[in-house]
Each structure stands twice: as C-alpha cells, then as structure tokens.
Amino acid sequence: MSWRRRAWPRNGWHRLAAPLGAPLPQRRLFLLPTRFGLGWAVLIVLLMLLGINYQNSLIHALAFWLFALGVAVLLRAWRNLLGVRLSLRLPAEAFAGGAARLGVIAESRRPRTALQVRCNRERARFDVEDGRGEGELCVPTPTRGVWRVPTLSLESRWPLGLVRALAWQAHEHELVIWPQPLGEAETYRADGGPGREEEDFAGLRRAAPGDGPARLAWKQWSRTGTLASKAFEAPPRDAVWLDYADGSGDPERRLSWLCARVLAHHRAGERFGLRLPDRTLAPGQGEAHRRAALDALARCRPAADGEASP
C-alpha cells in the first residue's frame, strides 16, 4: 500500500496536474469535502427530515439557509484558486544532511487568502496581496545526488473549511545535492603542506604605518627622499589534483572528503583539478569551477566493491 501511495503522485496526479507557471484552469481544480463539510451536509439532511416530520417551517428555513451558505462557500473556495500562477525558486546550493529552502511564489490579479503549498510533508502557507505572495518550503536533503522535486499541490480551505480546493502543479525541476563536507578535512591545508611564503620581490610601494624596518627601502629614501616599502608576492604554484583514490573509507566518506577539499581550495584561491571514478575535471579556479566540481561529486557513481573503476 505504501508503494502505491508513493507511485500515485507521479503517475496519477501528474496526469491531473496543471503546468507550473501557467494560470490554474478550472478543469484542473478540484473540490474535496472535509470532515467538517461532511458533517455540515449531514446536518442539513437531518434538519430537512425533522422539518418534514414535524411540519416546522423554521427548521425548513434553517436547513435551506445552511444549504445556500454551503453553495456560496463552494463558489468562493473555487474562485480562491482559479487563475493562480505558481512558480518555484530553487536554492543556489544544497548539501546532504541539511535542508533545501524552496521558494514558492504565487501571482494573481485578485487577492487570495490562506493558500497552502505542499511538497511531500512540508507545507508553506501565505496570502496573495498586491498581486504577489511568497512562501518557503524547508525540505530535508539526507543524501547527495540529483533530486527531482516532487509534484507540488496547491490548496485552500478558505473561507469556512467546508471543502478543500485542490490543484496539482507539474514541473521538471531538479536539485543537485552536494555531498556533506567532511569536518576534519575542512581544516586541512589546501596544499597539504606548509603555507605560502612571500619570497619573490615584486617592486616598491609607498610606505604605510606598520611596515617593519626590514621592509623599508632605505637606499631609495637616501636617493629620492621618499620613503618606500618593499613588496613581495608568493611564487606561482602548480595546480593541485584532488583524487578519489587518495581518500579512505567508504565511497560516501571519500566524496565528503573531496567536497571539503574543493571548498578549502576555492577559499584559498588555488587552481585544482578533480579525478573521480567516472569523470575527470580539468584544473581551474573560480566560482564556476567550484560549482562544476561540486556538481561532479554529487553526480559521481563510484564503482562497487570488487569492480574496477572506469
């Protein structure tokens, strides 16, 4: 039974869903009674039976008034979702073991009240005012990899909770979840050895407070009368290769170790390359290279035990 419930949203509800980003049409909007709504309907039937049995016009009037109110509620609930345009904003980055914050944006020409967007068990509630409303879904990301965001459901029980106006929103959004950085590797020095030392003379610059006597260019001062300071720079360094084979432990631990190394090298501004069992990333640096390396780690498929790596 649980397998059928998991398969139904993608196979069944997907066929009934409206495309994400398009105004919600009436043929993709459904009204489902709530427990309170069913009790309301039973009460109307009981009042009608009592009115017929006792020939009491006041009971008849109350029954018809409750029925008319229920019809008005159905119409208002239906119009509360009709024409709503829903969009999804994915987070810039997400690591395994944390949570991804999915931004939900609803747009409409008219104000909407008590909208609720659901993704699995997570919910976001908000109103639409001045044509726009925003909410946030905090979805757990326990494992790395490419996660296809499930079909979203948009619903509302406004105004009285008699019915649940419901619509499904289909999309093709995917979220790349990076490995969780290994804590002990984050503090590992990026080059695996001693830190950079300023060794190469780069020229002279105007002296500034705090420059030591050894850095001051005294000969330049004696010739020109202007006090200058010697500037040094670190020598250029060869690109570092981060290799999956250099790690230890199970595949996920190795990928977490590599993730921490990638972040450390990026913070240090160093060039690095990446060797994985299923791909190789040429050396580079910068934000684009960092994202490419982390994406490669998220999509990596290590060889199983006893199999040779490609």
Side-chain angles (χ1 to χ4, degrees), residues 278-301:
D278 57 350
R279 69 192 71 193
T280 299
L281 187 65
Q285 61 185 137
E287 180 61 27
H289 186 67
R290 167 185 173 269
R291 295 191 66 89
L294 294 175
D295 286 349
L297 292 175
R299 300 174 185 271
C300 179
R301 296 183 177 179

Side-chain angles (χ1 to χ4, degrees), residues 4-294:
R4 292 181 180 179
R5 289 182 178 178
R6 289 194 299 268
W8 172 249
R10 183 166 295 180
N11 299 331
W13 294 345
H14 190 83
R15 293 193 295 267
L16 303 176
L20 189 69
L24 185 61
Q26 60 182 6
R27 66 178 181 276
R28 291 291 185 263
L29 179 57
F30 304 92
L31 296 177
L32 304 177
T34 62
R35 292 183 178 180
F36 179 57
L38 293 176
W40 187 283
V42 171
L43 177 61
I44 293 175
V45 173
L46 292 177
L47 289 175
M48 289 295 297
L49 293 177
L50 287 174
I52 293 173
N53 185 50
Y54 292 102
Q55 296 295 317
N56 190 315
S57 59
L58 291 178
I59 297 179
H60 279 99
L62 178 60
F64 284 119
W65 180 80
L66 291 177
F67 177 79
L69 181 59
V71 172
V73 167
L74 290 177
L75 180 61
R76 294 300 300 272
W78 179 74
R79 285 177 55 83
N80 194 41
L81 289 192
L82 184 64
V84 173
R85 181 184 290 107
L86 201 67
S87 58
L88 189 64
R89 182 178 63 246
L90 298 180
E93 56 185 44
F95 290 92
R101 299 187 178 274
L102 308 179
V104 180
I105 304 171
E107 298 176 330
S108 175
R109 296 179 181 178
R110 297 182 289 105
R112 309 301 173 109
T113 306
L115 299 183
Q116 179 177 278
V117 177
R118 301 180 64 177
C119 178
N120 289 341
R121 298 182 179 179
E122 305 301 323
R123 303 181 182 183
R125 297 180 176 88
F126 53 91
D127 298 330
V128 177
E129 299 178 355
D130 298 328
R132 184 183 177 92
E134 295 189 22
E136 188 177 75
L137 293 166
C138 188
V139 182
T141 55
T143 59
R144 70 170 182 90
V146 180
W147 178 60
R148 182 174 181 180
V149 182
T151 300
L152 303 178
S153 65
L154 174 65
E155 64 180 68
S156 176
R157 303 192 181 196
W158 183 84
L160 293 182
L162 298 181
V163 294
R164 182 164 62 111
L166 176 64
W168 290 282
Q169 300 277 284
H171 59 86
E172 299 297 332
H173 287 297
E174 293 182 342
L175 181 62
V176 180
I177 303 175
W178 298 334
Q180 183 179 18
L182 194 62
E184 63 188 41
E186 287 185 318
T187 57
Y188 185 81
R189 190 177 298 276
D191 57 2
R196 295 188 177 203
E197 296 180 358
E198 297 179 344
E199 298 176 351
D200 294 344
F201 177 71
L204 297 177
R205 60 173 176 81
R206 184 179 297 274
D211 291 337
R215 284 183 173 270
L216 297 178
W218 299 107
K219 294 182 179 180
Q220 179 75 9
W221 175 71
S222 63
R223 291 197 302 266
T224 63
T226 301
L227 187 60
S229 179
K230 302 175 184 178
F232 297 88
E233 64 180 9
R237 180 164 300 179
D238 295 336
V240 178
W241 280 98
L242 307 180
D243 200 325
Y244 176 87
D246 294 338
S248 60
D250 58 79
E252 294 302 322
R253 180 180 176 83
R254 294 189 183 196
L255 294 175
S256 295
W257 173 74
L258 287 174
C259 179
R261 293 292 304 276
V262 167
L263 296 177
H265 280 284
H266 174 71
R267 287 194 299 267
E270 298 207 3
R271 289 174 52 84
F272 63 90
L274 186 63
R275 291 193 184 101
L276 297 175
D278 57 350
R279 69 192 71 193
T280 299
L281 187 65
Q285 61 185 137
E287 180 61 27
H289 186 67
R290 167 185 173 269
R291 295 191 66 89
L294 294 175

